[in-house]
Amino acid sequence: MKTIQFETPARQENAPMMHESVNHLDLSLGISSSNDACNYKNAPKTAKRMISFQTEPIDASPAYKKCVSVSSRMAFDYSYLFSHCPTGFVDPWSLAARQQKAAAEQAHLKANPNPTSSKIAMEPQQAPVVVGWPPIRSSRKSLINQNLTKSCTIDGKDSTLKSEKLAETKDAAIRLELRPTLYVKVNMEGFSVGRKIDLSAHNSYESLSRALQNMFCNFLSNKLISKDAHANANNSEFILLYEDYEGDKILVGDVPWELFLKSVKRLYITRHSSAQEKAGDGIKDSQKEEANHLNDCSN
Amino acid sequence: MKVQSAMFYFPEEVIEHIFSFLTHHPDRNTVSTVCKAWYKIERLSRCEVFVGNCYAIRPDRAAARFPGLRSLTLKGKPHFADFDLVPPDWGGLAGPWIEAMARSCPNLEELRMKRMVVSDESLELLVHAFPNFKALVLVSCEGFSTDGLAAVARSCKSLRELDLQENEIEDRGPRWLNSFPDMCTSLVSLNFACLKGEVNLKSLERLVCRSPNLKCLRLNRAVPVETLAKIMNQCPNLEDLGTGSLLADQFSEAYVSLISALQKCKKLRSLSGFWDASPLCLLAVYPICANLTGLNLSYAPTVQGQDFINLIQHCVKLLRLWVLDSVGDKGLAVVASACKELQELRVFPSDLFAAGPATVTEEGLVAISTGCPKLNSLLYFCHSMTNSALITVSKNCPNFTRFRLCILEPRKPDPATNEPLDEGFGAVVKTCKNLRRFSISGLLTDQVFYYIGKYAKALEMLSIAFAGDTDQGMTYVLNGCKNLRKLEIRDCPFGDGALLADVTKYETMRSLWMSSCDISLRGCKALATKMPSLNVEIINEWEAEMEENLNNGVAEVISNNNNKHINNGNDERKVEKLYVYRTVGGPRTDAPDFVWTL
């Protein structure tokens, strides 16, 4: 069972400060709400409890001094922001929850926070979230989340900040379910010293390849990868492989991200030409794209 | 009189032979109550036992009563555990049952468990204690890993069926598939669709090669099209197939070999899986559609729109269809025109909040009911429903035995009239005389419960959420539904009055679940006192509340002693979750801290 602690610096009820810390820290942490064990412990707070959180001054209230999980904090402040979380915490029909929602919305408008959070708050898909509703199994709920994530990322970089944040938090939530950290070794061909990367800190192949590029750009200094950003598919030099449970080397990118995380043990970056010789067959478009990403040494 | 005395002179073997024609377990339960002699004969000859609530009887008592047991079915957690309403570590442990069977029932061949917690050690014990073990079916279970599966594969010499549905299995690697014996296996049915991790594809292919009796095979998402094609070529007699990932390139060899392999499978009747299905792979399926009786597309959000329509219009013999609501009313209309034999339909939500342009509405349901009059089982998720639609549906399909409608927004009225949906659901119970399972949603008053109590005489299981006005609603149901076995209620305004209206009723039922209702500790205590043959269990989170009070300066004693909690403080506290069930096993010995038996 995971409990993530944090303390807000400013002790003000519904203060913008709290919103900010939530926006920066907690959005990137993601919510542990998908982790059922953790979630259950904190989730079903009765309406009465919510009132007690809200009405007591923060400095005096022992509740704030306790270790409070991120998820219950989320429930208190932002149950309507993260309405896409499959398991929510607040009975929306309780008077306290509705008071809370009104207070949270007012605080948003008052404090005039950054556009991100207001977008999230004004999300038309806002709907009250109830524990265990609708009555579908968690395997189906996670399928729905995956599907929504995919449609968000498919929209590309033009998608609103809102859907990206939602996708990140959903993926973050799914990740937390899998493992807390997943450090794997990354070895580049020709170098005896490798690096380590935390795969659980990424939610997609794009993010992983970006991170690897950054890591190995500096690693290699100026010699092997040209700083010329106009590398195209034909010039792609490197290929990303991974080693699985059985010791086989497999090209990265074929299986869904979550499945990849389950089976990956190590990563290898090899040169395109040598890998081609070993493979024998032609390389598909998706693979070329992967190598392309690697070569594209963006900041 | 003559007949009665004649029965006494029948030798036991004859009576036993007569009993062997009784397979329905309620019938067998009844004959065992006739007299001591029949009880003894029945229990020694009983082969199949069904235990609907694993806490209704102690495992060793059940094992001792039926030493000749060959098949055992067990159910553990309450149904609402599927929706995260029951905390983890609640119970439902399979270990004590397997141990008791190991001691007393060496002939065990089949074990089916639903919503139970099974450990790897229990699985090891299972395959070592029962030399004839043949079939393991686990539905919605948890607590075990692929190591446990390896133990089953390795040690169970005559395994015929390994069926894993919707379980939470810890993935410790794909090696378990290698553990099956090297010579020919006796496998008839293998389902590992719920496994989330990778599988060893070579091992899978080899396993299929040496399993000539395989009729049902359901793969998980990690199995690609290439492997599927190879497998299909190996078993053209397959009747039930769950595909792996159906992502394939049109010009790839895999796709081509899949098409030819599928065409050879003349006996294929049921298809599921369809993970990541590309429209091209669907094309491969068209040739076999005409013979399909079962189709499960509920894990395939990519199959929608015209792709779905093109596929379904060939499936003229379909009996069971599970889809996502992204097929839309249009898709359902095509189903209605093509699948005239349809008996079971399940429509799952693809988006929990926004009613997108393509999701289903009441029109889709009406279309289905018009086109498929044989429909008897329905599970339908939608964003809104009207009374008139429900009335039409019930007129068109009077044969419903299972009717579950879930309107995604709680307490939503009929959008056309703004009225509650009492009349619509009432029409369903009035016309469907054989209704056994019923789930209702939307805005509902006590009136719907009046109808249910009055008309739903065959009803066995009722699920209610966000419905009703007063205690009278629940009372109507308890008084009226003579055959009620399971009642589960959440977020309804039923209080102690309803709970205590007819306490003897609960002895005729398997269980009652009430969560987020208006019942108090006082009411629950009263029930427990009046009915000692029931286990009245509450699941509480008051411990945390007490800690808070302490910090606030209110003097309370924090302890894990249940009695102190139950008797300390006031009885007017609302009970968040109540689970009541009849039992001859007494209070649970394995109840965790948060479960209090009153």
Side-chain angles (χ1 to χ4, degrees):
Chain A
M1 242 171 3
K2 280 197 68 157
T3 312
I4 303 173
Q5 314 177 22
F6 69 83
E7 288 182 57
T8 50
R11 304 279 181 158
Q12 274 177 336
E13 216 176 290
N14 289 333
M17 191 63 182
M18 197 145 52
H19 289 233
E20 277 173 23
S21 68
V22 161
N23 277 333
H24 296 310
L25 179 63
D26 300 293
L27 279 179
S28 58
L29 275 181
I31 313 169
S32 56
S33 59
S34 291
N35 179 339
D36 284 346
C38 169
N39 197 33
Y40 186 84
K41 194 73 189 230
N42 297 300
K45 303 268 188 268
T46 60
K48 224 176 175 179
R49 268 201 98 173
M50 300 312 289
I51 291 174
S52 74
F53 265 107
Q54 196 169 16
T55 53
E56 293 186 49
I58 290 178
D59 282 331
S61 164
Y64 281 98
K65 291 182 180 145
K66 273 171 65 176
C67 302
V68 183
S69 82
V70 173
S71 51
S72 66
R73 282 294 191 124
M74 291 295 105
F76 168 37
D77 291 319
Y78 298 104
S79 54
Y80 301 100
L81 295 184
F82 297 99
S83 54
H84 277 267
C85 291
T87 48
F89 320 99
V90 183
D91 181 347
W93 309 106
S94 67
L95 179 61
R98 278 178 268 144
Q99 282 177 345
Q100 230 184 67
K101 179 179 172 183
E105 280 176 4
Q106 271 191 349
H108 269 125
L109 297 169
K110 211 169 37 174
N112 193 24
N114 60 61
T116 309
S117 57
S118 70
K119 259 194 191 156
I120 293 176
M122 300 312 164
E123 187 191 304
Q125 291 181 349
Q126 217 175 76
V129 180
V130 183
V131 179
W133 190 266
I136 55 176
R137 291 170 191 263
S138 28
S139 56
R140 292 197 186 278
K141 276 192 175 142
S142 57
L143 181 76
I144 293 177
N145 284 338
Q146 277 177 29
N147 201 37
L148 285 171
T149 313
K150 268 190 204 152
S151 52
C152 284
T153 52
I154 280 169
D155 288 339
K157 299 250 165 34
D158 323 314
S159 66
T160 61
L161 223 55
K162 164 196 86 173
S163 41
E164 268 181 33
K165 289 282 187 207
L166 277 174
E168 269 175 26
T169 52
K170 264 197 287 286
D171 277 319
I174 294 172
R175 265 196 334 262
L176 281 173
E177 221 181 306
L178 293 173
R179 290 183 184 86
T181 60
L182 181 57
Y183 279 96
V184 296
K185 298 182 197 165
V186 192
N187 283 92
M188 177 164 255
E189 190 181 329
F191 291 84
S192 53
V193 178
R195 304 268 323 243
K196 272 205 151 181
I197 186 168
D198 181 7
L199 289 180
S200 61
H202 300 278
N203 58 3
S204 66
Y205 289 119
E206 286 75 32
S207 140
L208 172 66
S209 69
R210 271 199 303 275
L212 287 173
Q213 287 163 44
N214 286 334
M215 214 180 249
F216 284 91
C217 248
N218 301 330
F219 194 65
L220 294 172
S221 73
N222 305 343
K223 274 185 266 175
L224 291 160
I225 298 183
S226 79
K227 292 239 165 145
D228 185 351
H230 301 303
N232 55 28
N234 295 331
N235 273 354
S236 57
E237 267 199 71
F238 291 95
I239 277 187
L240 185 61
L241 305 175
Y242 75 100
E243 186 181 301
D244 69 353
Y245 272 108
E246 294 163 357
D248 297 328
K249 290 214 183 78
I250 303 169
L251 198 72
V252 166
D254 288 331
V255 294
W257 177 254
E258 294 78 16
L259 220 50
F260 169 67
L261 285 188
K262 290 248 175 197
S263 46
V264 63
K265 291 288 155 219
R266 296 177 68 141
L267 291 172
Y268 294 97
I269 303 176
T270 55
R271 278 168 220 279
H272 183 84
S273 49
S274 57
Q276 226 177 355
E277 275 165 26
K278 285 175 197 160
D281 313 303
I283 298 188
K284 290 184 229 168
D285 280 345
S286 56
Q287 297 168 2
K288 278 195 186 135
E289 218 180 316
E290 206 38 61
N292 206 17
H293 276 141
L294 207 54
N295 213 28
D296 204 3
C297 199
S298 57
N299 303 357
Chain B
M1 283 300 280
K2 268 198 181 161
V3 175
Q4 263 185 352
S5 52
M7 280 300 279
F8 268 113
Y9 294 125
F10 276 7
E12 277 187 15
E13 292 82 12
V14 176
I15 301 184
E16 196 179 309
H17 182 68
I18 296 174
F19 286 176
S20 69
F21 292 98
L22 293 172
T23 48
H24 200 37
H25 62 87
D27 292 337
R28 293 204 68 123
N29 292 345
T30 312
V31 301
S32 69
T33 59
V34 167
C35 63
K36 277 204 169 121
W38 281 28
Y39 176 88
K40 183 178 159 220
I41 298 171
E42 196 280 320
R43 83 176 182 90
L44 291 174
S45 62
R46 177 97 92 150
C47 297
E48 287 177 26
V49 170
F50 171 82
V51 181
N53 175 3
C54 65
Y55 289 117
I57 184 171
R58 297 219 177 232
D60 23 281
R61 188 165 158 186
R65 180 173 166 186
F66 302 111
L69 196 49
R70 293 215 211 115
S71 165
L72 177 65
T73 307
L74 283 173
K75 293 192 181 178
K77 300 187 196 178
H79 174 229
F80 277 176
D82 285 348
F83 318 129
D84 303 327
L85 285 179
V86 175
D89 304 326
W90 174 86
L93 301 171
W97 283 89
I98 296 179
E99 285 156 28
M101 293 293 140
R103 281 192 291 270
S104 312
C105 310
N107 295 331
L108 192 68
E109 291 177 5
E110 290 181 8
L111 182 59
R112 288 163 215 276
M113 296 198 285
K114 188 167 186 179
R115 286 190 211 104
M116 297 202 58
V117 177
V118 195
S119 65
D120 286 344
E121 290 75 26
S122 296
L123 288 176
E124 286 263 7
L125 176 60
L126 184 66
V127 289
H128 286 115
F130 305 109
N132 292 336
F133 197 74
K134 295 199 172 74
L136 181 63
V137 178
L138 298 175
V139 181
S140 305
C141 295
E142 56 178 358
F144 60 105
S145 74
T146 47
D147 287 350
L149 296 180
V152 174
R154 187 173 37 239
S155 311
C156 189
K157 299 297 170 219
S158 45
L159 189 67
R160 276 205 319 242
E161 191 178 337
L162 181 59
D163 190 353
L164 308 167
Q165 298 175 31
E166 310 268 357
N167 300 295
E168 282 295 318
I169 307 177
E170 187 191 334
D171 186 12
R172 292 206 192 140
R175 279 176 290 271
W176 68 279
L177 266 181
N178 297 349
S179 305
F180 281 96
D182 283 335
M183 60 279 193
C184 268
T185 72
S186 42
L187 271 182
V188 173
S189 169
L190 177 62
N191 173 4
F192 59 91
C194 62
L195 272 183
K196 297 199 192 91
E198 298 275 354
V199 288
N200 186 331
L201 300 175
K202 284 277 179 299
S203 295
L204 177 61
E205 288 168 33
R206 283 199 299 267
L207 177 64
V208 173
C209 277
R210 62 183 195 277
S211 303
N213 299 323
L214 209 53
K215 292 219 180 87
C216 164
L217 179 63
R218 295 195 184 186
L219 311 169
N220 75 347
R221 199 172 180 178
V223 178
V225 175
E226 295 83 4
T227 310
L228 178 63
K230 285 187 200 157
I231 288 175
M232 299 305 292
N233 277 321
Q234 285 298 321
C235 32
N237 289 332
L238 214 56
E239 293 172 15
D240 184 329
L241 172 68
T243 72
S245 168
L246 277 188
L247 206 54
D249 199 350
Q250 186 174 7
F251 302 109
S252 71
E253 199 186 312
Y255 175 65
V256 172
S257 57
L258 179 65
I259 298 182
S260 62
L262 276 176
Q263 280 178 340
K264 284 194 231 148
C265 292
K266 302 289 180 208
K267 291 193 184 170
L268 207 49
R269 294 288 170 268
S270 176
L271 275 185
S272 57
F274 290 94
W275 303 99
D276 314 308
S278 57
L280 294 159
C281 283
L282 290 185
L283 288 178
V285 169
Y286 286 6
I288 45 165
C289 279
N291 287 327
L292 280 185
T293 56
L295 183 60
N296 181 352
L297 295 170
S298 62
Y299 284 101
T302 47
V303 180
Q304 48 178 294
Q306 197 58 36
D307 295 328
F308 173 72
I309 291 176
N310 291 342
L311 176 66
I312 205 70
Q313 61 192 17
H314 300 294
C315 303
V316 291
K317 287 193 190 159
L318 209 58
L319 299 177
R320 258 179 0 266
L321 177 64
W322 292 23
V323 285
L324 290 171
D325 66 0
S326 44
V327 303
D329 285 337
K330 219 171 148 200
L332 289 181
V334 178
V335 172
S337 65
C339 313
K340 292 299 181 191
E341 304 294 316
L342 197 66
Q343 290 178 9
E344 177 180 329
L345 175 68
R346 297 197 191 188
V347 180
F348 294 96
S350 57
D351 188 340
L352 299 180
F353 299 102
T359 53
V360 299
T361 67
E362 68 273 6
E363 286 178 23
L365 185 58
V366 171
I368 291 278
S369 71
T370 319
C372 313
K374 293 188 186 173
L375 198 64
N376 59 44
S377 172
L378 179 73
L379 170 61
Y380 199 79
F381 283 86
C382 56
H383 293 270
S384 69
M385 183 55 59
T386 62
N387 278 315
S388 60
L390 283 173
I391 293 170
T392 311
V393 167
S394 57
K395 277 206 202 108
N396 291 337
C397 300
N399 297 322
F400 276 118
T401 54
R402 288 183 287 269
F403 190 95
R404 294 189 280 168
L405 182 72
C406 178
I407 300 168
L408 290 168
E409 188 188 318
R411 300 206 184 92
K412 187 161 184 194
D414 178 340
T417 60
N418 232 20
E419 278 171 14
L421 290 169
D422 300 332
E423 296 307 314
F425 285 110
V428 175
V429 283
K430 273 183 220 161
T431 47
C432 304
K433 306 282 180 218
N434 295 326
L435 195 65
R436 288 197 319 258
R437 185 168 180 184
F438 202 33
S439 281
I440 55 183
S441 57
L443 182 64
L444 295 164
T445 69
D446 286 347
Q447 185 65 21
V448 71
F449 298 115
Y450 169 75
Y451 289 139
I452 293 175
K454 187 165 177 199
Y455 296 109
K457 292 305 174 191
L459 193 63
E460 294 176 7
M461 181 170 174
L462 179 62
S463 308
I464 311 170
F466 303 104
D469 302 317
T470 70
D471 285 350
Q472 190 57 48
M474 185 168 159
T475 312
Y476 282 140
V477 172
L478 290 176
N479 288 341
C481 299
K482 296 297 169 207
N483 285 314
L484 195 63
R485 286 192 293 125
K486 284 186 284 186
L487 181 57
E488 41 188 33
I489 304 173
R490 61 163 295 174
D491 293 276
C492 296
F494 303 137
D496 294 343
L499 182 66
L500 300 171
D502 185 1
V503 292
T504 51
K505 173 77 179 170
Y506 304 127
E507 247 178 358
T508 67
M509 290 166 51
R510 185 189 296 173
S511 65
L512 165 73
W513 169 278
M514 287 180 78
S515 62
S516 304
C517 296
D518 214 17
I519 45 183
S520 73
L521 187 54
R522 173 193 306 280
C524 298
K525 281 186 181 177
L527 177 60
T529 321
K530 284 189 195 172
M531 301 294 298
S533 59
L534 302 175
N535 272 0
V536 178
E537 294 179 3
I538 53 183
I539 297 171
N540 73 94
E541 289 109 0
W542 293 332
E543 222 167 86
E545 193 175 284
M546 284 188 174
E547 279 180 42
E548 196 184 307
N549 287 335
L550 180 69
N551 291 336
N552 268 346
V554 174
E556 293 266 10
V557 177
I558 296 181
S559 79
N560 280 331
N561 184 333
N562 283 345
N563 285 335
K564 275 204 178 136
H565 274 174
I566 294 175
N567 296 320
N568 216 4
N570 75 53
D571 281 354
E572 296 314 316
R573 276 176 299 181
K574 293 298 175 197
V575 166
E576 181 61 28
K577 293 177 200 218
L578 171 72
Y579 185 49
V580 179
Y581 54 92
R582 66 180 174 192
T583 179
V584 294
R588 284 174 60 182
T589 49
D590 62 355
D593 278 343
F594 52 80
V595 172
W596 298 349
T597 309
L598 298 178

